[in-house]
């Protein structure tokens, strides 16, 4: 029985060590400021601070990779969240969106934070400071609504030309 336990532990430890050789992509592509959200929208300092605290790690190329993102198998989940997060919305590459897509995402920023879907629970578990207060959500929703209006107004003047 004792031998079995010993071998089980040895196999588990070796397996864990081998896992560490798996490849995970912790990339931070270079940021071209002219393509970032700040260059396209009026991002107020309050909104910028909320993004930096609660969203940038998954929705920008400025990810602060935590120590556990270097430890498999947790690293797989973390890199997967960042990859998916960036694909859905990347503040460092806002320029890739047309006005309609940008307006949609602005609405979604309000919706997902109001519903408590964003930031992800698995993230706030490790980053308590990223939890949004009702005021934060209010700030985001007011801001996104006003930016949506501004985009719509700009489109309106363009089509008049
Ligand atoms: C731990 C990583 C993580 C954090 C932090 C995070 N998100 Fe996300 N976010 C994701 C992932 C992953 C998806 C894609 C969800 C899916 O595939 O269903 C997503 C999707 C979204 C979407 C949907 C985009 C679309 O295509 O419609 C919005 C909007 C969003 N996040 C906003 C935010 C905001 C705002 C914050 C900060 C308050 C935030 N997220 C923080 C990982 C994150």
């Amino acid at each position: 029985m004792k031998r079995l336990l010993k071998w089980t532990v040895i196999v588990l430890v070796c397996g864990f060590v081998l896992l560490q050789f798996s490849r995970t992509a912790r990339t931070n592509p270079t940021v071209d400021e002219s393509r970032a959200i700040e260059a396209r929208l009026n991002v107020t300092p309050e909104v910028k601070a909320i993004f930096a605290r609660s969203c940038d790690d998954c929705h920008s190329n400025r990810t602060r990779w935590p120590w556990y993102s270097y430890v498999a198998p947790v690293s797989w989940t973390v890199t997967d969240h960042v990859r998916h997060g960036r694909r859905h919305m990347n503040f460092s590459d806002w320029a890739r969106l047309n006005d309609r897509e940008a307006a949609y995402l602005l609405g979604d920023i309000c919706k997902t934070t109001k519903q408590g879907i964003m930031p992800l629970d698995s993230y706030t578990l490790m980053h308590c400071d990223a939890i949004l207060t009702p005021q934060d959500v209010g700030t985001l929703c007011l801001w996104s609504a006003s930016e949506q209006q501004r985009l719509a107004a700009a489109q309106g003047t363009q089509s008049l030309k």
Side-chain angles (χ1 to χ4, degrees), residues 54-55 58-59 81 84-85 88-89 104-105 108 112 118-119 123:
S54 308
C55 322
C58 299
H59 290 294
H81 281 163
H84 274 119
H88 281 259
M89 180 174 72
Y104 172 81
L105 279 185
D108 227 21
T112 53
M118 287 294 150
Y123 181 77

Side-chain angles (χ1 to χ4, degrees), residues 116-134:
I117 302 171
M118 287 294 150
L120 294 179
D121 287 344
S122 59
Y123 181 77
T124 47
L125 196 70
M126 301 301 285
H127 301 81
C128 306
D129 60 324
I131 295 172
L132 299 180
T133 63

